[in-house]
Structure formats: C-alpha cells, structure tokens
Amino acid sequence: MIETSYLYTEIFEQPAVLADLLSNEWAAVSNLAQAIQAKNIKHIVIAARGTSDNAGRYAQYLLGAKNGMVVTLSAPSLFSIYDAPPSFDNCLVLGISQSGQSPDIVGVLEEAQKQGQLTAAITNSTSSPLAQAADFVIDIHAGPEKAVAATKSYTNSLVSIAMLSEALAGLDEPSAELMRLPDAVSKTLELSSPISEIAHRYRFMKHCVVIGRGFNYATAFEMALKMKELTYTIVEPYSSADFLHGPFAVVEQGFPMILLAPNGKMNQSMLELAQRLKENQADTLILSDVAELLELATIPVQLPAELPEWLSPITTILAGQMLGMYLAHIKGFDVDEPRGLNKVTKTE
Amino acid sequence: MIETSYLYTEIFEQPAVLADLLSNEWAAVSNLAQAIQAKNIKHIVIAARGTSDNAGRYAQYLLGAKNGMVVTLSAPSLFSIYDAPPSFDNCLVLGISQSGQSPDIVGVLEEAQKQGQLTAAITNSTSSPLAQAADFVIDIHAGPEKAVAATKSYTNSLVSIAMLSEALAGLDEPSAELMRLPDAVSKTLELSSPISEIAHRYRFMKHCVVIGRGFNYATAFEMALKMKELTYTIVEPYSSADFLHGPFAVVEQGFPMILLAPNGKMNQSMLELAQRLKENQADTLILSDVAELLELATIPVQLPAELPEWLSPITTILAGQMLGMYLAHIKGFDVDEPRGLNKVTKTE
C-alpha cells in the first residue's frame, strides 16, 4: 500500500506545511532581509548538498533575477578537506540543510563566523549544529520528515527563499501570489492519478535526461535526484542551453527526455528544443501549461496554470516527486528507505 | 583510421600547444593578476558553457584553495533571458570560451562593462566578440581546433587558470612544477595503448557514473561530457560527497563506475567510496597513482605520478579524452563530428 508510506504522506501534506511556513516565519525572514540590507550585502554564498543544493540553485536564479544578488553555490570541500577557505568579503553565508547535521556544511558557516561575516541557516531543525553556527535561522516548518527522499523539506526550503526574495524587495508581508501557493500545490497534487498511470510506461526505462531552465533549472536537478534515489534510474539534469553544448549527441530515436516547461520566459528556448527532439524522434514527456509545447510531446502532462514563472518551481517539482514515487512502487522498491542511503548523510 | 582524425591529432598535440602557452602568455596573465590585485578583488564571476564551464569549475577550486577567491559559476540566462542582471560589486567577470562566439557569454561581459567592472576573457580567438568585450584577454594558444569535441582547448584553458593562480600568488614566472606540465602530459598520453585495449570492454555499456572530487571535480564533469559527446553513452559526473547524498541508490551488482583519483587530499574519501562500491559489487574503473586505491578496482589504470594534486586535472582528463575517442571508434561513430552537434553552439 503506497498510501501508507511516509513518502506518500509527506508528499500530500505539502499544502499544510507550506501554509504553516507562510503564517509563522515571515518575521524571521524579514529580520534576515534587514540584516542583509543594513550591511549592503550583494553577494550570497550558499553551502548545501543534495536536495538542499537544488534549493540553493533556485536561490541563485531567484535572488539574482529579482534582487540583483550574485549567488555562489560553494564548494564545501574547500573548507573541509583543503582547509584553504576563500575570504567572504561582505557576503552572507547561507547554509541549507533539512537536518542541519552535515559537518562540511556546518564547517562553511563556522569559517564565515570566524571571518566576522553574516551567517544564516535554512533548516528543519532549529537545535542543529547548523542552526547554532548561524546568526539568523529560518525554520522551514516541514515537521518530521521520515522518508529518506526529501520532498516537503525541499518545497518549504524553496518557499523560504521566495519569502526572503519578497522581504528583500521591501514587502511588509507575503504577497498575494505567495499566499496562493498552498492552493496551487493542492491543485497540482491532483495530477496524482494521471501520473500514477503514466508511470507504468517507464517501468523498463534505464536512463533519461530532464531539462529545465532558468527558475526551473533547480527543478530539473531535483526531479533527477528523486528519480535516482527512488527508482535507481540514471537521470541526468540539464538546462536546454547546456544540453545543446555537447550532450545533445546522446539523443537517438526513442531516447527518453523529460521537459519541465511551465509558462514563462523560457518558452521560446523550450519550443526550439522540443521541435528538435521531435525531429530526432526522441520520446518526450513534457510538463507544461503551454499548448504549443504540449502538442510536441509524446506524453503531455498539463500543469495547472496557477502561478507566475518565478513560483512555478514549487509546483512543478510535485510532478517529479509523484512520478518518482509511483515508478519506484511499480518497480517493487521500498519508497521510504531506498537501498544504500540514510536520512542523514554526514560527509566530511 | 583513427590516427588521421582531427580528434586524435589534437589530443596528441597537447604537449606542444601547452608548451606554447607557457612560453607566450605569462605577461598577459601577470597583467590581469595585477589588475585584480590593484582593485583588491576577491570575487570572480565566471561565464561559460559546456567544456569551458568545466574549466570554470577548476578555477572555482584552484583560485579558492590557493588564492582565497570566491568564484561563482554564473547563470548566463539571468542576463540573456530574464534581463535582470545581478550587480557585480567589485568582481572580476571572466568569460571562458574557445570560439568566443556564444551570445549569452558575451552578454554577461557586456553587462559587467556597463556596470564598470573588470572583465577578462580566456579564449582561443583574440578577435572574437568575447575578446572584444574584455579588458584583458588571455590567448590559450591552442591553435585551430577542428574536432567538435574540445580537448586541447580544455587543457590549455586549465593551464591558463593555473598560470593565473601563480601570478596572483606573486610569482614572477611560471613555477618549475608548471614547466613540468608538457612532459607530464606526454607521459600520460603513453597510456594510449592500454586505454585503447580497455575501451573494448565498454562497447555495450549504456550508462555510467564518473566520480571526482576537489580539484578533480572538474575532471569528472569534463570526462563525462567527452564520453557523452563522443560515445553517446549516458555518463553522469559526481563528487564522492554528493554521490552519497542520494544518487548512491543507483548502485547495483555490476553497475559501472569510473573513479578519478590522483594522489592527494581526497585519498581517504575516495578509498571509502571505493570500498563501499566493492562491497556493493559495482564494476569500477579506477584511474590513480595510489596503490591502495588501484587494488580495489575491477579495472585499475595506473596514472604516472608526476604532478602535485592541484595540477593533476590537466593530466587526468587525458585518460578521459582517450577513452572517449577509442570507445567512439570501436562503436563506429565519427569522432570528429558527433551527431547533432556543431563546433560553435550559439545559445541565447
């Protein structure tokens, strides 16, 4: 019974934990935004791994496009292994980690504190070592996450970042768009039934490529990670631009491709790629609310058109979570405890 | 005849073009280093795609570990599509591109110039649009590169970055270690014959994972890209740390893994991974000069122990280039013009 798994429960409680986050954490986010502005900080260095690193990728695009920030995804091994830390000149150093336990991520924040720089943590555990190393802590309010594959902690990390973007833009409270998120998430979760059907078709797929660009570059990485963790398929994420610089060579007749293409500024680039994939007879699963794009798909999945592009990563990933879960179930795998993984990975 | 291909010629002329670069470009590199120091710049934003982005990844680790720089791999679509450029406060904005043609990369430098920030280009074409948008131009001296898959332009880009690191550290001329590179590259190219034999074993491999960490994280990305471009195999790069945060689940009996593990600070982390892979009966190709690591391999390839860890990416990638080339040849593919690709990819 998939419905009794932790993973299923956690995927479907996303509207609730998201509403929790929106109503409880605005003040903490505002305080962080004020500290950033008081120091005139224009540069954020993010330390994170796995799913949290994908949330960092969303921050790179969102805080870049909306708030003029240069966002660096850091190389934690510079701190933990080479012991040669860069100098964080007037940076915010931001750790993102559900558990707040990974020593390499904590190490980056400790180094930043030693250098007297501003630090913050986005975490599900306000008593964790990561939270203790941070000047400002944003609690993602996801509640206990027991499935090894992170779902609600990912979406709530994205929402924290969206809240930070709004606070940095000077808003006094979350915008109406942001407050629509719990509803939009619920609507997207209604795709559960069609996605559980479609999943059968991928039972014997060995590998595929997932494409997302701009704000949804992060979504491509996170969907690829869910598929790998849960279904043991080799799934590689790309932006459509990077994919054309070399990797396109792998496309042959029937090659499986997933395109994440909610309506937005990437439409043209996604249309061109979808056309080229069709000419090359690739097998495409396209998730979009753009009719022209859906027409080019082998398997179209219509996303509800609820949100502006910058918030679409928060709903688009849900399709990836559900596809990963249903495909793992069809293949007979344990969706809560994938082989070889633990919930907390303590890399040095 | 593989020996008459452009790719073969370009791989084996690497010692020569590398010597060219070392003897001709030190002054230009020094000038750039002085400009960086005159402005007290501690933050470099890199714009690049494909192979050049992998050179940027090397810069992230090397200039971080040796020169205390925070290095950001930029998101070019923030400039080309969202039209919402971040503010490059006291940054060097560095474009890396063999051809210097891609409009999105040129766009990042043009924006930096508009903001009055320092710009530089590492390129094989000093008359390209990218070179024109740069205050400082480093010519990689690779000579015409005709094979679509970049090889000598990659290694020479790495060497330019290594030279920049030394100039930033205050050296007046390239170090003795750097001057040993042409010899070390020649010695590593002598692996050609064993690698051409080993390649047959991978004739029917559909996908694999390549692991590298620290300075050789870039090598994992570049080897994966060569294998994809040339052999149409799905090859996914990971650091050993990221691989343990989720993707490890894909490992089953016989799963193909490539470990790039030249001697250095990553030995312990690579040993732990290699042991775990052995326990899980993965099929491992290990490139290393560390006896303990080679003993754990299904297929060990002994790298010549010529260089310190920070320069090892320049030789280690050669094994990847050769494996990609020989495997493509065995599979009957055109090594000079992979399907679906052009030499210059002009992404917006």
Side-chain angles (χ1 to χ4, degrees):
Chain A
M1 275 287 285
I2 184 82
E3 291 80 4
T4 58
S5 66
Y6 289 128
L7 185 65
Y8 186 95
T9 308
E10 291 168 2
I11 286 176
F12 287 94
E13 73 190 14
Q14 287 177 101
V17 295
L18 203 159
D20 246 22
L21 169 64
L22 283 170
S23 39
N24 287 301
E25 210 61 14
W26 180 261
V29 171
S30 285
N31 288 343
L32 172 58
Q34 281 165 24
I36 291 170
Q37 287 168 334
K39 294 190 169 220
N40 197 25
I41 288 173
K42 294 282 181 202
H43 183 194
I44 300 177
V45 176
I46 293 181
R49 287 209 181 273
T51 290
S52 299
D53 200 37
N54 297 335
R57 220 173 290 279
Y58 176 64
Q60 181 172 39
Y61 282 81
L62 182 61
L63 304 179
K66 296 266 183 195
N67 309 98
M69 295 277 173
V70 176
V71 180
T72 305
L73 303 179
S74 80
S77 67
L78 282 181
F79 304 83
S80 54
I81 303 199
Y82 289 126
D83 214 13
S87 77
F88 294 125
D89 225 19
N90 204 32
C91 292
L92 165 67
V93 178
L94 173 64
I96 308 177
S97 168
Q98 190 277 130
S99 70
Q101 300 286 342
S102 196
D104 48 359
I105 306 306
V106 176
V108 178
L109 266 77
E110 286 171 345
E111 171 61 31
Q113 287 201 316
K114 220 181 336 176
Q115 294 184 21
Q117 301 296 329
L118 191 68
T119 56
I122 293 179
T123 179
N124 205 20
S125 169
T126 54
S127 59
S128 62
L130 184 70
Q132 282 158 30
D135 301 325
F136 290 84
V137 178
I138 297 176
D139 178 353
I140 60 171
H141 289 270
E145 190 173 59
K146 292 185 179 164
V148 167
T151 54
K152 60 181 183 168
S153 68
Y154 175 70
T155 43
N156 270 23
S157 295
L158 296 199
V159 176
S160 305
I161 292 159
M163 291 165 76
L164 179 60
S165 175
E166 292 202 332
L168 286 168
L171 271 67
D172 288 333
E173 53 178 24
S175 69
E177 282 174 340
L178 217 54
M179 295 308 285
R180 281 218 314 272
L181 274 174
D183 265 3
V185 166
S186 294
K187 281 227 179 75
T188 311
L189 290 172
E190 288 169 13
L191 290 172
S192 175
S193 160
I195 288 176
S196 70
E197 291 303 316
I198 287 167
H200 288 274
R201 187 175 184 276
Y202 297 97
R203 171 65 181 86
F204 296 105
M205 180 177 71
K206 288 289 180 201
H207 52 240
C208 75
V209 165
V210 184
I211 301 282
R213 204 176 166 194
F215 296 126
N216 280 293
Y217 188 44
T219 317
F221 273 76
E222 179 60 11
M223 178 165 185
L225 182 55
K226 286 313 99 162
M227 298 275 286
K228 277 181 280 204
E229 287 179 312
L230 291 166
T231 74
Y232 317 149
T233 313
I234 307 295
V235 186
E236 195 164 11
Y238 272 104
S239 87
S240 50
D242 287 327
F243 189 66
L244 296 173
H245 282 258
F248 191 87
V250 301
V251 176
E252 60 193 352
Q253 194 264 324
F255 187 84
M257 300 277 309
I258 301 175
L259 271 63
L260 306 174
N263 188 30
K265 290 210 174 179
M266 294 304 171
N267 287 355
Q268 191 51 39
S269 144
M270 283 295 181
L271 269 170
E272 283 164 23
L273 178 63
Q275 270 148 357
R276 233 180 118 185
L277 289 171
K278 200 179 164 105
E279 284 157 22
N280 284 265
Q281 299 177 278
D283 186 290
T284 53
L285 171 64
I286 301 184
L287 295 101
S288 184
D289 48 339
V290 179
E292 275 176 282
L293 264 163
L294 291 168
E295 280 161 21
L296 292 166
T298 312
I299 305 287
V301 173
Q302 171 117 35
L303 296 173
E306 293 286 325
L307 295 170
E309 186 187 6
W310 69 281
L311 290 173
S312 66
I314 295 156
T315 50
T316 307
I317 188 54
L318 305 173
Q321 295 171 349
M322 291 189 286
L323 182 59
M325 175 179 69
Y326 287 122
L327 182 54
H329 186 60
I330 288 164
K331 293 171 93 168
F333 299 144
D334 183 338
V335 299
D336 286 335
E337 296 191 7
R339 66 184 182 207
L341 301 184
N342 297 308
K343 182 68 186 165
V344 177
T345 310
K346 295 191 177 182
T347 41
E348 300 284 347
Chain B
M1 276 286 286
I2 184 82
E3 290 81 4
T4 58
S5 67
Y6 288 128
L7 185 65
Y8 186 95
T9 309
E10 291 167 3
I11 287 177
F12 287 94
E13 74 191 13
Q14 288 177 101
V17 296
L18 202 159
D20 246 22
L21 169 63
L22 284 170
S23 38
N24 287 301
E25 210 60 14
W26 181 260
V29 171
S30 285
N31 288 342
L32 172 58
Q34 281 165 24
I36 292 169
Q37 287 169 334
K39 295 190 168 220
N40 198 24
I41 288 173
K42 294 283 181 202
H43 182 194
I44 300 178
V45 176
I46 292 181
R49 286 208 182 275
T51 290
S52 300
D53 200 37
N54 297 336
R57 220 173 291 278
Y58 176 64
Q60 182 173 39
Y61 281 81
L62 182 61
L63 304 179
K66 295 266 184 195
N67 309 98
M69 295 278 173
V70 175
V71 180
T72 305
L73 303 180
S74 80
S77 66
L78 282 180
F79 303 83
S80 54
I81 302 198
Y82 290 125
D83 214 14
S87 78
F88 295 123
D89 225 19
N90 203 31
C91 291
L92 165 69
V93 178
L94 173 64
I96 308 177
S97 169
Q98 189 277 130
S99 70
Q101 300 287 343
S102 196
D104 48 0
I105 305 305
V106 177
V108 178
L109 265 76
E110 286 170 348
E111 172 61 30
Q113 287 200 317
K114 219 181 340 175
Q115 293 185 22
Q117 300 296 328
L118 190 67
T119 56
I122 292 179
T123 180
N124 205 20
S125 169
T126 54
S127 59
S128 63
L130 184 70
Q132 281 157 31
D135 301 324
F136 290 84
V137 178
I138 297 176
D139 178 353
I140 60 171
H141 288 272
E145 190 173 59
K146 292 185 178 164
V148 167
T151 53
K152 59 182 184 168
S153 67
Y154 176 70
T155 43
N156 269 23
S157 296
L158 296 200
V159 176
S160 304
I161 292 159
M163 290 165 76
L164 179 60
S165 175
E166 292 203 332
L168 285 168
L171 271 67
D172 289 333
E173 53 178 24
S175 68
E177 282 175 340
L178 217 54
M179 295 308 285
R180 280 217 314 272
L181 274 174
D183 264 4
V185 166
S186 294
K187 281 226 179 76
T188 311
L189 290 172
E190 289 169 12
L191 290 172
S192 176
S193 160
I195 289 177
S196 70
E197 291 303 316
I198 287 166
H200 288 274
R201 187 174 184 277
Y202 297 97
R203 170 64 181 87
F204 296 105
M205 180 176 71
K206 288 288 179 201
H207 52 240
C208 75
V209 165
V210 184
I211 302 282
R213 205 175 165 195
F215 296 125
N216 280 292
Y217 189 43
T219 317
F221 274 76
E222 179 60 11
M223 179 165 184
L225 182 55
K226 285 314 98 162
M227 298 274 286
K228 279 181 278 205
E229 288 179 312
L230 291 167
T231 73
Y232 316 149
T233 313
I234 308 295
V235 185
E236 196 164 11
Y238 272 104
S239 87
S240 49
D242 287 327
F243 189 65
L244 296 173
H245 283 258
F248 192 87
V250 302
V251 176
E252 60 192 352
Q253 194 264 324
F255 187 85
M257 300 277 308
I258 301 175
L259 272 62
L260 306 174
N263 188 30
K265 290 210 175 180
M266 294 305 171
N267 287 355
Q268 191 51 38
S269 144
M270 283 295 181
L271 268 169
E272 282 164 23
L273 178 63
Q275 269 148 357
R276 234 181 117 183
L277 289 171
K278 200 178 164 104
E279 283 157 22
N280 284 265
Q281 299 177 278
D283 186 290
T284 52
L285 171 64
I286 301 185
L287 295 101
S288 183
D289 48 339
V290 179
E292 274 176 284
L293 266 163
L294 291 169
E295 279 162 21
L296 292 166
T298 312
I299 305 287
V301 172
Q302 169 117 35
L303 296 173
E306 293 286 325
L307 295 169
E309 186 186 6
W310 69 281
L311 290 174
S312 67
I314 295 157
T315 50
T316 307
I317 188 54
L318 305 173
Q321 296 172 348
M322 292 189 285
L323 182 60
M325 174 178 71
Y326 288 122
L327 182 54
H329 185 60
I330 288 164
K331 292 171 95 167
F333 299 144
D334 183 337
V335 298
D336 286 336
E337 296 191 6
R339 64 186 183 207
L341 301 183
N342 298 308
K343 182 67 187 165
V344 177
T345 310
K346 295 191 177 182
T347 40
E348 299 285 344

